[in-house]
Amino acid sequence: MLGNITPALTVMPENEKRIYKSYYCGVCKEICRRYGNAPRAALSYETVFFALLYDAVSDEEAVITKQNCILHPFKKREMCRETVGISLRADLQIILTYAKLGDSLRDETGIKKALRQKLTKLTKKHYEKLKYIYLELCRTVEEQNLAQAEIEKQNPDTDGASMPTAEMTKAIIKRFFGGDNIALNNFRFFLGRFIYLLDALTDRKADAKSGSFNVFNQSGTDTDGAARECYLALSELSYWYSRLDLKRYADVLDSLIYTGFESRIMRATKGGDENGEQL
């Protein structure tokens, strides 16, 4: 589920871009503080999204300061100082990275598989410690990863194929956000469904070439049909997102969900890089 919640930086207003980048750098810095430099390489946009969303609905407001960056040693970068949202998302990054590596091992061969096995070993020691803190969440992630593999053997439709990712996303948001209202429950479900379908749309050609399972290839759905499925999931996701009680960062999250997600569908459908600018 990693790599899909990407920002459309080229069309994001400067004030929103500043906040987003400061969270990206803040989460990266916190991962280093808690787990060392190596895990920073796995930093994903999903983790930054969850950090922003957490702080958007919490009572704590982040403070942005200029700090040193190992990748930009000659110029300090703006970063969010440690918040609960950023600290928790550093933990989440380790959990998601370990799950993603385990999932990828099923499809990889040769050098790529050997590399992922090495990365899995490096991540496992941190993951095993986090299991004591997030036992229920880690158990759900592991179970749903196994469920995904079993479901894919049954030639499922998009509803069945996307269910494990939806359940994982529900578990993540429930564990880190709390709350049990209708808007939040439906938002977390459709976020997971959208992420899964977008990933399937993005990987259609690569999966066809490698022979890996892809729900759209399996059903004979063409690119336009796959894009329609993604737009329908995005429509449901947007509806429930609009009913969340956000205390701050609404403009940034609006940009991610309404512009960034649509941009990702367009990239997956037509090819090319809609983001352009690099973080």
Side-chain angles (χ1 to χ4, degrees), residues 57 136 167 170-189 240 243-245:
V57 299
E136 185 176 348
E167 291 296 331
K170 284 173 63 178
I172 289 168
I173 294 179
K174 183 177 181 179
R175 173 60 180 82
F176 288 110
F177 290 75
D180 196 30
N181 60 69
I182 294 176
L184 187 59
N185 284 340
N186 284 288
F187 170 77
R188 62 196 187 195
F189 175 84
W240 291 110
R243 279 151 179 75
L244 297 180
D245 182 20

Side-chain angles (χ1 to χ4, degrees), residues 45-254:
Y45 290 117
E46 280 76 7
T47 308
V48 181
F49 173 81
F50 284 127
L52 272 165
L53 185 61
Y54 183 94
D55 286 350
V57 299
S58 74
D59 294 324
E60 183 180 15
E61 188 167 1
V63 176
I64 299 175
T65 61
K66 288 189 175 182
Q67 302 179 44
N68 294 320
C69 172
I70 192 172
L71 294 179
H72 304 86
F74 302 112
K75 184 179 180 181
K76 289 187 175 183
R77 304 271 285 189
E78 288 190 324
M79 303 181 191
C80 283
R81 291 169 57 183
E82 180 185 346
T83 66
V84 175
I86 288 175
S87 297
L88 293 177
R89 256 33 72 182
D91 293 346
L92 177 60
Q93 183 65 68
I94 299 297
I95 295 170
L96 292 180
T97 298
Y98 186 77
K100 176 66 174 178
L101 288 169
D103 180 58
S104 299
L105 284 174
R106 292 199 298 266
D107 300 323
E108 300 288 6
T109 58
I111 296 177
K112 285 187 176 181
K113 184 168 185 175
L115 178 59
R116 290 191 184 278
Q117 287 174 330
K118 179 66 174 178
L119 292 173
T120 301
K121 185 177 180 180
L122 291 173
T123 309
K124 185 176 181 179
K125 63 178 182 179
H126 299 307
Y127 177 78
E128 291 297 334
K129 292 179 181 178
L130 288 172
K131 282 185 72 173
Y132 288 102
I133 305 172
Y134 307 105
L135 179 60
E136 185 176 348
L137 173 60
C138 290
R139 182 185 293 128
T140 299
V141 170
E142 291 173 3
E143 289 174 350
Q144 294 306 320
N145 262 336
L146 292 174
Q148 186 72 60
E150 290 301 314
I151 287 173
E152 290 176 359
K153 296 176 183 178
Q154 304 168 15
N155 294 325
D157 58 14
T158 54
D159 288 337
S162 64
M163 189 61 69
T165 303
E167 291 296 331
M168 269 191 276
T169 308
K170 284 173 63 178
I172 289 168
I173 294 179
K174 183 177 181 179
R175 173 60 180 82
F176 288 110
F177 290 75
D180 196 30
N181 60 69
I182 294 176
L184 187 59
N185 284 340
N186 284 288
F187 170 77
R188 62 196 187 195
F189 175 84
F190 283 105
L191 177 62
R193 175 175 167 79
F194 173 74
I195 288 173
Y196 179 86
L197 294 178
L198 178 58
D199 188 61
L201 173 62
T202 302
D203 293 342
R204 278 183 73 246
K205 291 183 179 180
D207 288 341
K209 185 176 180 179
S210 66
S212 300
F213 175 85
N214 186 292
V215 67
F216 293 130
N217 293 340
Q218 176 268 331
S219 63
T221 305
D222 62 15
T223 300
D224 289 340
R228 281 195 295 273
E229 289 272 8
C230 289
Y231 278 118
L232 285 171
L234 178 57
S235 177
E236 290 280 6
L237 170 64
S238 299
Y239 174 83
W240 291 110
Y241 163 74
S242 69
R243 279 151 179 75
L244 297 180
D245 182 20
L246 303 181
K247 299 178 180 179
R248 60 185 66 85
Y249 306 145
D251 290 343
V252 183
L253 291 168
D254 285 355

